[in-house]
Amino acid sequence: MSKRVIIIGGGAAGLMAGAESAKRGNETVIIEKMARPARKMMITGKGRCNVTNACFELDELIGNVPTNGRFLYSAFSAFMPYDTIALVEELGVPTKIERGNRVFPESDKAVDIVDAFVSNAKNSGAKIIQGTVRAFQLSGDRIIAVELENGEVIPCDSVAICTGGMSYPLTGSTGDGYALAKSAGHTVTELRPSLISLEASNNYIPRLQGLSLKNVSIKLFENGKEIYSDFGEMLFTHYGVSGPMILSASAHMRDPEKFSYKIILDLKPALDFKTLDSRLIRIFEENNNKDFINSLSSLLPNKLITVIVNMSKIAPSQKCNSITKEQRHSLVQLLKSIKIDISAFRPIEEAVVTSGGVSVKEINPKTMQSKLVPNLYFAGEVIDVDAYTGGFNLQIAFSTGYLCGRNI
């Protein structure tokens, strides 16, 4: 007998859950508040849609989910990144793999991915309607209907909350799902931004605005203890730091107002102290009679030179042939350990994902079913799971959406 299933949210998780539910013969309705579904997918990967990560080992995949990764063991096992790639290609969108195993559509157009998933849901038999769910109607411990903001009441046999988080509210992610989950008795853990740019208090930061660095490394310290390290790219902004490494580092941070965070930046991680010192000796010999400030163009980007010279305590006009061994060693140390004092996260509205959400202790990891309300399910970012940048968060949406749709 056909059951009426309501999926709240037409993003990555909701479209996947809706398609899988409909394929199993359920009368499935996806309720999406925006005029067009999957608005957030449209802006991922800078408009190219980093649809997943070609990480095909289960343990490695879970290792890229710093918040409650083990909870996703069943979901990932049921629907891996290679399943996502196969589905996308089956839906007529060829893919390609780029640096860091990031998977994109060959067209570099997010709209191709979005259209494919919307079509998949519709062709599977799901109906997509526009509306905002205001409340649940309950009978005992079961949800029997959902009420929309326009007053319409839609009866149902089962419901899935797939509303996303609180990041990028213009795409429709405004935290509605958390309120609905709470109204059904669920616990929502503390919400904070993740995969977000960071504000820094150092006075040299504004002078480096727009500077992009590649092949550098960072170490993140919380209250003096190293908690994360990475190698790759970063960007200086007028307020602080951004870029792939910084976004991943933010996933390990709690509240910068309660904890002390600093980043140590190594501009030359491929060179150890001795090798970098030897390189400086060569540079100073080649620029023997030049001022110190005019000797570093082969080593550093122009925008960084003045900042480094000021930090080094070596006079800009000091001749290279008079720089002492002690001064040179201090400079090596500086190049390998620039301190960035983190003062705050950027606003949660700018976050790629929301950290926190419906407690995983209250969700069956094998089915995505609520342990409190038997006909309520969850999928995607509304759950208290979040991953690093690189396609992993969309994979969480697809995997939990698949498991939810298969079981609802």
Side-chain angles (χ1 to χ4, degrees):
M1 183 179 165
S2 174
K3 290 189 174 181
R4 171 168 276 202
V5 168
I6 290 177
I7 309 289
I8 306 172
L15 291 171
M16 178 66 87
E20 292 304 315
S21 169
K23 284 175 187 175
R24 283 158 179 78
N26 296 319
E27 182 191 343
T28 304
V29 178
I30 300 171
I31 303 175
E32 166 57 40
K33 71 190 294 187
M34 306 298 283
R36 291 185 63 187
R39 299 306 298 163
K40 192 172 175 185
M41 281 177 75
M42 288 286 282
I43 62 172
T44 63
K46 296 179 181 175
R48 296 196 299 138
C49 192
N50 181 187
V51 68
T52 187
N53 190 285
C55 174
F56 299 152
E57 295 296 326
L58 184 57
D59 285 343
E60 185 185 351
L61 190 56
I62 289 171
N64 279 282
V65 186
T67 305
N68 297 319
R70 297 308 299 179
F71 171 80
L72 296 167
Y73 186 91
S74 294
F76 282 154
S77 297
F79 200 84
M80 287 285 286
Y82 48 74
D83 294 309
T84 299
I85 295 169
L87 174 61
V88 168
E89 303 222 332
E90 186 183 305
L91 295 172
V93 184
T95 61
K96 59 183 177 179
I97 299 174
E98 296 187 1
R99 184 183 48 78
N101 287 328
R102 290 166 162 82
V103 180
F104 292 90
E106 275 187 6
S107 65
D108 284 331
K109 293 178 180 176
V111 68
D112 292 347
I113 298 289
V114 171
D115 287 349
F117 276 94
V118 170
S119 296
N120 182 47
K122 289 179 176 177
N123 293 340
S124 299
K127 182 182 178 184
I128 302 175
I129 65 171
Q130 187 177 2
T132 301
V133 175
R134 179 174 60 191
F136 293 141
Q137 287 187 1
L138 289 95
S139 177
D141 64 351
R142 298 182 73 84
I143 298 168
I144 58 170
V146 300
E147 296 177 18
L148 303 189
E149 279 192 344
N150 65 6
E152 185 181 355
V153 175
I154 305 176
C156 60
D157 295 298
S158 294
V159 178
I161 298 178
C162 307
T163 50
M166 292 183 70
S167 55
Y168 294 124
L170 292 178
T171 66
S173 297
T174 52
D176 303 6
Y178 303 127
L180 290 171
K182 283 181 179 178
S183 75
H186 274 276
T187 304
V188 175
T189 63
E190 182 184 358
L191 303 172
R192 58 180 175 80
S194 186
L195 302 188
I196 192 165
S197 302
L198 303 172
E199 296 182 4
S201 58
N202 312 75
N203 58 13
Y204 67 82
I205 292 287
R207 283 179 277 165
L208 297 179
Q209 179 181 350
L211 175 65
S212 178
L213 298 176
K214 294 182 179 180
N215 302 319
V216 295
S217 71
I218 60 168
K219 290 180 179 178
L220 173 67
F221 292 82
E222 178 186 86
N223 293 346
K225 180 183 177 183
E226 183 182 334
I227 59 170
Y228 181 72
S229 62
D230 203 354
F231 172 88
E233 298 178 26
M234 64 173 285
L235 171 72
F236 285 96
T237 67
H238 66 283
Y239 55 76
V241 284
S242 188
M245 280 199 304
I246 301 301
L247 299 187
S248 291
S250 73
H252 293 266
M253 295 172 60
R254 291 176 280 181
D255 187 347
E257 292 183 7
K258 297 177 183 175
F259 299 88
S260 170
Y261 290 101
K262 72 174 178 179
I263 286 172
I264 299 297
L265 167 62
D266 185 345
L267 293 169
K268 301 293 174 183
L271 306 177
D272 62 18
F273 188 98
K274 186 176 179 182
T275 307
L276 183 53
D277 187 43
S278 298
R279 186 165 170 188
L280 280 175
I281 290 172
R282 262 196 333 272
I283 287 172
F284 292 154
E285 284 174 350
E286 290 166 1
N287 295 274
N288 198 21
N289 293 312
K290 284 188 178 179
D291 292 351
F292 171 51
I293 197 168
N294 296 324
S295 68
L296 300 176
S297 58
S298 65
L299 189 69
L300 299 171
N302 282 340
K303 212 167 215 180
L304 201 50
I305 291 174
T306 304
V307 170
I308 291 296
V309 168
N310 288 342
M311 286 181 171
S312 74
K313 304 290 198 301
I314 301 172
S317 59
Q318 184 173 341
K319 300 300 179 186
C320 290
N321 58 20
S322 69
I323 292 175
T324 66
K325 179 180 177 181
E326 288 72 23
Q327 286 176 314
R328 196 181 69 241
H329 282 185
S330 293
L331 179 58
V332 173
Q333 193 63 44
L334 171 62
L335 293 171
K336 296 188 71 65
S337 58
I338 295 173
K339 191 169 79 160
I340 302 169
D341 296 308
I342 304 304
S343 54
F345 290 125
R346 291 294 290 166
I348 194 167
E349 292 82 9
E350 297 177 19
V352 176
V353 294
T354 307
S355 185
V358 179
S359 172
V360 296
K361 295 175 183 176
E362 299 168 357
I363 302 171
N364 183 336
K366 295 181 178 178
T367 61
M368 296 296 125
Q369 181 181 21
S370 164
K371 293 179 180 179
L372 309 181
V373 181
N375 66 336
L376 177 62
Y377 292 73
F378 297 93
E381 194 181 338
V382 73
I383 303 171
D384 183 16
V385 286
D386 61 271
Y388 297 139
T389 184
F392 296 105
N393 287 288
L394 269 181
Q395 185 59 47
I396 290 173
F398 297 139
S399 296
T400 54
Y402 177 83
L403 207 52
C404 167
R406 199 172 73 173
N407 290 287
I408 197 165

